[in-house]
Amino acid sequence: MFKINDNYLKLPGSYLFSTIGKKVNAFQAANPDKKVIRLGIGDVTQPLAPAIIEALHSAVDEMADAATFKGYAPDLGYEFLRNAIARNDYKDRGCDISADEIFVSDGAKCDSGNIQEIFSVDNKIAVCDPVYPVYVDTNVMAGRTGTYDASTGMWSDVIYMPCTVDNNFAPDFPKETPDLIYLCFPNNPTGATITKDQLQDWVDYANKVGAVIIYDAAYEAYISEDNVPHSVYECEGARTCAIELKSFSKNAGFTGTRLGYTVIPKDLKAGDVMLHSLWARRHGTKYNGAPYIVQKAGEAVYSPAGKQQLSEQVAYYMNNAKIIKTGLQEAGYTVSGGVNAPYIWLKTPDRMTSWEFFDYLLEHANVVGTPGSGFGPSGEGYFRLTAFGSCENTVEALERIRKM
Amino acid sequence: MFKINDNYLKLPGSYLFSTIGKKVNAFQAANPDKKVIRLGIGDVTQPLAPAIIEALHSAVDEMADAATFKGYAPDLGYEFLRNAIARNDYKDRGCDISADEIFVSDGAKCDSGNIQEIFSVDNKIAVCDPVYPVYVDTNVMAGRTGTYDASTGMWSDVIYMPCTVDNNFAPDFPKETPDLIYLCFPNNPTGATITKDQLQDWVDYANKVGAVIIYDAAYEAYISEDNVPHSVYECEGARTCAIELKSFSKNAGFTGTRLGYTVIPKDLKAGDVMLHSLWARRHGTKYNGAPYIVQKAGEAVYSPAGKQQLSEQVAYYMNNAKIIKTGLQEAGYTVSGGVNAPYIWLKTPDRMTSWEFFDYLLEHANVVGTPGSGFGPSGEGYFRLTAFGSCENTVEALERIRKM
């Protein structure tokens, strides 16, 4: 008689954004006349940039002709894309990463969920708290997290690194030594960043204790301040301890187009086994590459026209971030983030819980945000708003919030 | 100190098609003047059909306009596609499968590799021998297969069901009771099929012993004979024991476009837990949907024009199959498959091993095929050729083979 993976049954509730979706749908069904503004999930709203559209049409035409038709892609991704990534995201920043250390995928969510597979189930993970739920949930599914305590919202075998106003939302080194350390900067959900010196300390720490840093740099394009690192490989020694995950969703609006990549330097080893080889084996066995037309679209992200158009798109969203941040501050809220990241992190008023404020905001302003507690216990009492709406909707949402 | 998943280290050699690729590249580098014809990997060569190209261009245009731009897709896939699948692939064939039992993905390779995750590592798998390597390799990675015996090419905890000329390439029920049974018909690699009555026996068997059938129907579009089932759900009782995997790669040429789906009926349960819920949780947590433009392309596969164009494409490949099969027979080879499947399975001549014949064919005819032993121990002494080349190349390959 077959048996299921009962680690799945340990997961409390459903995936955060599915829960929010259901609540919003129920509210909209009960209030069909209300215009709900969604500043909850980190989904973009601006159309794909003209340079990307052009590349997509051109690639579609290639697929229509036997002479230029493309079947299965190379395991690690097309060279034209891996070369563009290596040059623009690494070489031009002085990072020593070569094209064959880059694995193209259909997105950073998949990669951040799948990467744990190449590690032993005995490894102990450390996560920021609050944190993007995928890191913890996928380790729960793998049986790496022990038991869940509903009263604290914590797993017995996970090392939580609280990020609160007390440490300026930058994690301290944990008391217990972790094997895998998930870091995400600019941070989702808090919008906080750390300096290059602070990240260097983490790299030194990981090399010292023999841990791997899984560095999620999905929001790198939103960095506006100097001395905030764009890649973990700006730090000395990162090649022996860090994996980097990147997305095209936020810098180029690919949430519905799907493209991302993972970097595993060949110097990152367990004994004489390269983690690069393990991930290559996984890619070759369980994955068949991102669509050719999407990889061509990814290449256009790095073209001169693409870069120009996308920097304008990022500026558009960051203008929203400014509208949200200043609007909330003027309305008396305590707010952080929104400077190097498209996320604004606010303290809920009147000691409301995160979900109480979610319901309150949905009911009174018809605005959807994300409850901080959905990202971990230290997120309780906080709330995330995103800058990914349209400018008009963002302005209107803040007007409504000010009137509450 | 972090530790790796050392199940990966148990895997012998690299993924079959990567090995072939390296051998072919080495041959081509040493013989730059030789025109190598590839009838090895099951990759298509015909361009995407006009109806699909049109749908792709139209969807790209939607992505260029904020009013029609699409961000994150619904977890299970867009309804327009799931409805088209439910109607055309199931309802029209009298199968009781609803749209919300269909999970759209980026391909059947990913799904066939990932599906084992929702089952306990204690489950014992049964596979046809020879078999598509992904089924076994992904279970090795999960630690479900015991130890590898290089002398037999077999894993200690895998139940092998030999498919040879003696049983007409249709597996017998195994002596030991399995928990998960991988079946693929029309079969990759042998090109064999089983009748509806035979498949009904497997469904009855699975329900009796409490096993789950993972039914890979990737080659369903190539069925030409009556009484060969297109879906496992044509059988009574399959809703309580079977998962079906489908691909758009072979019926619509999507090997480089990436689209597939998995069906899990809500009646398939362990106690009161629906496997549907577990897979939905995995989809929501580790995956972010196939690209919108690709899902629109998938919808066009079911349009009247799409159906007409794709039936012509399938006929084109099946004409190649006929050329290969009759050509080999005329040259004195013992051949099967190629009637309901795009694969031709031949007995190697002169007691050559499969890899010896691979080298012989590459050297003397400059034709690439796939060694049967790469698919499992019972594939030794066999060889696979695919019908997915161009007609001209297929004709030329057979001329060269006849002259060997």
PDB file of all heavy atoms in Angstrom, chain A residues 99-119:
ATOM      1  N   ALA A  99      30.374  32.109 -17.318  1.00  0.00           N
ATOM      2  CA  ALA A  99      29.082  31.712 -17.889  1.00  0.00           C
ATOM      3  C   ALA A  99      28.713  30.281 -17.529  1.00  0.00           C
ATOM      4  O   ALA A  99      27.530  29.973 -17.333  1.00  0.00           O
ATOM      5  CB  ALA A  99      29.116  31.892 -19.406  1.00  0.00           C
ATOM      6  N   ASP A 100      29.706  29.407 -17.408  1.00  0.00           N
ATOM      7  CA  ASP A 100      29.356  28.008 -17.132  1.00  0.00           C
ATOM      8  C   ASP A 100      29.126  27.745 -15.645  1.00  0.00           C
ATOM      9  O   ASP A 100      28.963  26.595 -15.227  1.00  0.00           O
ATOM     10  CB  ASP A 100      30.372  27.037 -17.740  1.00  0.00           C
ATOM     11  CG  ASP A 100      31.719  27.117 -17.075  1.00  0.00           C
ATOM     12  OD1 ASP A 100      31.907  27.998 -16.216  1.00  0.00           O
ATOM     13  OD2 ASP A 100      32.587  26.305 -17.422  1.00  0.00           O
ATOM     14  N   GLU A 101      29.086  28.796 -14.851  1.00  0.00           N
ATOM     15  CA  GLU A 101      28.661  28.665 -13.449  1.00  0.00           C
ATOM     16  C   GLU A 101      27.232  29.164 -13.274  1.00  0.00           C
ATOM     17  O   GLU A 101      26.722  29.242 -12.160  1.00  0.00           O
ATOM     18  CB  GLU A 101      29.633  29.435 -12.538  1.00  0.00           C
ATOM     19  CG  GLU A 101      31.031  28.819 -12.574  1.00  0.00           C
ATOM     20  CD  GLU A 101      32.072  29.609 -11.801  1.00  0.00           C
ATOM     21  OE1 GLU A 101      32.060  30.855 -11.846  1.00  0.00           O
ATOM     22  OE2 GLU A 101      32.917  28.970 -11.148  1.00  0.00           O
ATOM     23  N   ILE A 102      26.588  29.501 -14.391  1.00  0.00           N
ATOM     24  CA  ILE A 102      25.230  30.057 -14.378  1.00  0.00           C
ATOM     25  C   ILE A 102      24.261  29.014 -14.928  1.00  0.00           C
ATOM     26  O   ILE A 102      24.499  28.451 -16.000  1.00  0.00           O
ATOM     27  CB  ILE A 102      25.175  31.343 -15.227  1.00  0.00           C
ATOM     28  CG1 ILE A 102      26.015  32.426 -14.545  1.00  0.00           C
ATOM     29  CG2 ILE A 102      23.735  31.812 -15.424  1.00  0.00           C
ATOM     30  CD1 ILE A 102      26.378  33.581 -15.452  1.00  0.00           C
ATOM     31  N   PHE A 103      23.182  28.764 -14.189  1.00  0.00           N
ATOM     32  CA  PHE A 103      22.152  27.815 -14.608  1.00  0.00           C
ATOM     33  C   PHE A 103      20.854  28.591 -14.856  1.00  0.00           C
ATOM     34  O   PHE A 103      20.247  29.094 -13.911  1.00  0.00           O
ATOM     35  CB  PHE A 103      21.882  26.778 -13.515  1.00  0.00           C
ATOM     36  CG  PHE A 103      23.050  25.896 -13.176  1.00  0.00           C
ATOM     37  CD1 PHE A 103      24.089  26.353 -12.393  1.00  0.00           C
ATOM     38  CD2 PHE A 103      23.088  24.590 -13.640  1.00  0.00           C
ATOM     39  CE1 PHE A 103      25.160  25.524 -12.064  1.00  0.00           C
ATOM     40  CE2 PHE A 103      24.148  23.749 -13.321  1.00  0.00           C
ATOM     41  CZ  PHE A 103      25.195  24.222 -12.534  1.00  0.00           C
ATOM     42  N   VAL A 104      20.420  28.641 -16.103  1.00  0.00           N
ATOM     43  CA  VAL A 104      19.178  29.344 -16.435  1.00  0.00           C
ATOM     44  C   VAL A 104      17.978  28.469 -16.051  1.00  0.00           C
ATOM     45  O   VAL A 104      18.001  27.255 -16.252  1.00  0.00           O
ATOM     46  CB  VAL A 104      19.144  29.678 -17.940  1.00  0.00           C
ATOM     47  CG1 VAL A 104      17.801  30.279 -18.338  1.00  0.00           C
ATOM     48  CG2 VAL A 104      20.288  30.626 -18.287  1.00  0.00           C
ATOM     49  N   SER A 105      16.946  29.107 -15.520  1.00  0.00           N
ATOM     50  CA  SER A 105      15.768  28.361 -15.071  1.00  0.00           C
ATOM     51  C   SER A 105      14.503  29.144 -15.376  1.00  0.00           C
ATOM     52  O   SER A 105      14.555  30.241 -15.936  1.00  0.00           O
ATOM     53  CB  SER A 105      15.851  28.121 -13.573  1.00  0.00           C
ATOM     54  OG  SER A 105      15.510  29.316 -12.879  1.00  0.00           O
ATOM     55  N   ASP A 106      13.369  28.597 -14.963  1.00  0.00           N
ATOM     56  CA  ASP A 106      12.097  29.288 -15.190  1.00  0.00           C
ATOM     57  C   ASP A 106      11.715  30.188 -14.017  1.00  0.00           C
ATOM     58  O   ASP A 106      10.563  30.605 -13.917  1.00  0.00           O
ATOM     59  CB  ASP A 106      10.981  28.287 -15.497  1.00  0.00           C
ATOM     60  CG  ASP A 106      10.703  27.348 -14.344  1.00  0.00           C
ATOM     61  OD1 ASP A 106      11.631  27.070 -13.555  1.00  0.00           O
ATOM     62  OD2 ASP A 106       9.552  26.896 -14.199  1.00  0.00           O
ATOM     63  N   GLY A 107      12.653  30.496 -13.141  1.00  0.00           N
ATOM     64  CA  GLY A 107      12.344  31.474 -12.113  1.00  0.00           C
ATOM     65  C   GLY A 107      12.990  31.174 -10.775  1.00  0.00           C
ATOM     66  O   GLY A 107      13.331  30.033 -10.459  1.00  0.00           O
ATOM     67  N   ALA A 108      13.153  32.224  -9.982  1.00  0.00           N
ATOM     68  CA  ALA A 108      13.841  32.096  -8.704  1.00  0.00           C
ATOM     69  C   ALA A 108      12.991  31.384  -7.661  1.00  0.00           C
ATOM     70  O   ALA A 108      13.520  30.809  -6.713  1.00  0.00           O
ATOM     71  CB  ALA A 108      14.261  33.476  -8.194  1.00  0.00           C
ATOM     72  N   LYS A 109      11.661  31.392  -7.820  1.00  0.00           N
ATOM     73  CA  LYS A 109      10.834  30.650  -6.855  1.00  0.00           C
ATOM     74  C   LYS A 109      11.129  29.155  -6.970  1.00  0.00           C
ATOM     75  O   LYS A 109      11.350  28.491  -5.961  1.00  0.00           O
ATOM     76  CB  LYS A 109       9.346  30.914  -7.090  1.00  0.00           C
ATOM     77  CG  LYS A 109       8.442  30.212  -6.081  1.00  0.00           C
ATOM     78  CD  LYS A 109       6.976  30.512  -6.343  1.00  0.00           C
ATOM     79  CE  LYS A 109       6.062  29.761  -5.393  1.00  0.00           C
ATOM     80  NZ  LYS A 109       4.630  29.909  -5.752  1.00  0.00           N
ATOM     81  N   CYS A 110      11.139  28.649  -8.178  1.00  0.00           N
ATOM     82  CA  CYS A 110      11.458  27.231  -8.388  1.00  0.00           C
ATOM     83  C   CYS A 110      12.852  26.920  -7.849  1.00  0.00           C
ATOM     84  O   CYS A 110      13.042  25.953  -7.115  1.00  0.00           O
ATOM     85  CB  CYS A 110      11.395  26.879  -9.863  1.00  0.00           C
ATOM     86  SG  CYS A 110       9.823  27.265 -10.621  1.00  0.00           S
ATOM     87  N   ASP A 111      13.816  27.741  -8.217  1.00  0.00           N
ATOM     88  CA  ASP A 111      15.191  27.477  -7.791  1.00  0.00           C
ATOM     89  C   ASP A 111      15.317  27.545  -6.270  1.00  0.00           C
ATOM     90  O   ASP A 111      15.994  26.713  -5.663  1.00  0.00           O
ATOM     91  CB  ASP A 111      16.147  28.493  -8.425  1.00  0.00           C
ATOM     92  CG  ASP A 111      16.408  28.199  -9.913  1.00  0.00           C
ATOM     93  OD1 ASP A 111      15.952  27.157 -10.397  1.00  0.00           O
ATOM     94  OD2 ASP A 111      17.068  29.026 -10.562  1.00  0.00           O
ATOM     95  N   SER A 112      14.677  28.539  -5.651  1.00  0.00           N
ATOM     96  CA  SER A 112      14.815  28.661  -4.193  1.00  0.00           C
ATOM     97  C   SER A 112      14.105  27.514  -3.483  1.00  0.00           C
ATOM     98  O   SER A 112      14.481  27.136  -2.382  1.00  0.00           O
ATOM     99  CB  SER A 112      14.315  30.026  -3.699  1.00  0.00           C
ATOM    100  OG  SER A 112      12.937  30.172  -3.908  1.00  0.00           O
ATOM    101  N   GLY A 113      13.106  26.930  -4.141  1.00  0.00           N
ATOM    102  CA  GLY A 113      12.447  25.752  -3.570  1.00  0.00           C
ATOM    103  C   GLY A 113      13.215  24.467  -3.823  1.00  0.00           C
ATOM    104  O   GLY A 113      13.244  23.573  -2.978  1.00  0.00           O
ATOM    105  N   ASN A 114      13.867  24.387  -4.973  1.00  0.00           N
ATOM    106  CA  ASN A 114      14.529  23.137  -5.371  1.00  0.00           C
ATOM    107  C   ASN A 114      15.955  23.002  -4.852  1.00  0.00           C
ATOM    108  O   ASN A 114      16.466  21.897  -4.719  1.00  0.00           O
ATOM    109  CB  ASN A 114      14.552  23.028  -6.904  1.00  0.00           C
ATOM    110  CG  ASN A 114      13.168  22.838  -7.495  1.00  0.00           C
ATOM    111  OD1 ASN A 114      12.270  22.283  -6.852  1.00  0.00           O
ATOM    112  ND2 ASN A 114      12.961  23.308  -8.709  1.00  0.00           N
ATOM    113  N   ILE A 115      16.612  24.128  -4.563  1.00  0.00           N
ATOM    114  CA  ILE A 115      18.043  24.087  -4.262  1.00  0.00           C
ATOM    115  C   ILE A 115      18.357  23.211  -3.043  1.00  0.00           C
ATOM    116  O   ILE A 115      19.413  22.566  -2.979  1.00  0.00           O
ATOM    117  CB  ILE A 115      18.616  25.522  -4.084  1.00  0.00           C
ATOM    118  CG1 ILE A 115      20.134  25.515  -4.098  1.00  0.00           C
ATOM    119  CG2 ILE A 115      18.072  26.208  -2.835  1.00  0.00           C
ATOM    120  CD1 ILE A 115      20.748  25.255  -5.446  1.00  0.00           C
ATOM    121  N   GLN A 116      17.415  23.160  -2.085  1.00  0.00           N
ATOM    122  CA  GLN A 116      17.662  22.365  -0.872  1.00  0.00           C
ATOM    123  C   GLN A 116      17.827  20.867  -1.178  1.00  0.00           C
ATOM    124  O   GLN A 116      18.406  20.144  -0.376  1.00  0.00           O
ATOM    125  CB  GLN A 116      16.562  22.602   0.175  1.00  0.00           C
ATOM    126  CG  GLN A 116      15.122  22.560  -0.326  1.00  0.00           C
ATOM    127  CD  GLN A 116      14.587  21.174  -0.547  1.00  0.00           C
ATOM    128  OE1 GLN A 116      14.987  20.237   0.132  1.00  0.00           O
ATOM    129  NE2 GLN A 116      13.671  21.028  -1.500  1.00  0.00           N
ATOM    130  N   GLU A 117      17.329  20.431  -2.317  1.00  0.00           N
ATOM    131  CA  GLU A 117      17.395  19.003  -2.676  1.00  0.00           C
ATOM    132  C   GLU A 117      18.809  18.456  -2.745  1.00  0.00           C
ATOM    133  O   GLU A 117      19.010  17.257  -2.555  1.00  0.00           O
ATOM    134  CB  GLU A 117      16.788  18.794  -4.064  1.00  0.00           C
ATOM    135  CG  GLU A 117      15.328  18.582  -4.078  1.00  0.00           C
ATOM    136  CD  GLU A 117      14.865  18.282  -5.496  1.00  0.00           C
ATOM    137  OE1 GLU A 117      15.535  17.534  -6.223  1.00  0.00           O
ATOM    138  OE2 GLU A 117      13.821  18.818  -5.865  1.00  0.00           O
ATOM    139  N   ILE A 118      19.777  19.308  -3.088  1.00  0.00           N
ATOM    140  CA  ILE A 118      21.138  18.791  -3.261  1.00  0.00           C
ATOM    141  C   ILE A 118      21.867  18.680  -1.918  1.00  0.00           C
ATOM    142  O   ILE A 118      23.007  18.243  -1.876  1.00  0.00           O
ATOM    143  CB  ILE A 118      21.970  19.614  -4.275  1.00  0.00           C
ATOM    144  CG1 ILE A 118      22.189  21.053  -3.806  1.00  0.00           C
ATOM    145  CG2 ILE A 118      21.319  19.601  -5.651  1.00  0.00           C
ATOM    146  CD1 ILE A 118      23.198  21.825  -4.680  1.00  0.00           C
ATOM    147  N   PHE A 119      21.193  19.074  -0.840  1.00  0.00           N
ATOM    148  CA  PHE A 119      21.796  18.967   0.491  1.00  0.00           C
ATOM    149  C   PHE A 119      21.149  17.824   1.279  1.00  0.00           C
ATOM    150  O   PHE A 119      20.014  17.430   1.014  1.00  0.00           O
ATOM    151  CB  PHE A 119      21.619  20.285   1.254  1.00  0.00           C
ATOM    152  CG  PHE A 119      22.340  21.441   0.608  1.00  0.00           C
ATOM    153  CD1 PHE A 119      21.669  22.322  -0.222  1.00  0.00           C
ATOM    154  CD2 PHE A 119      23.706  21.615   0.805  1.00  0.00           C
ATOM    155  CE1 PHE A 119      22.337  23.373  -0.845  1.00  0.00           C
ATOM    156  CE2 PHE A 119      24.386  22.659   0.192  1.00  0.00           C
ATOM    157  CZ  PHE A 119      23.702  23.546  -0.639  1.00  0.00           C
TER     158      PHE A 119
END
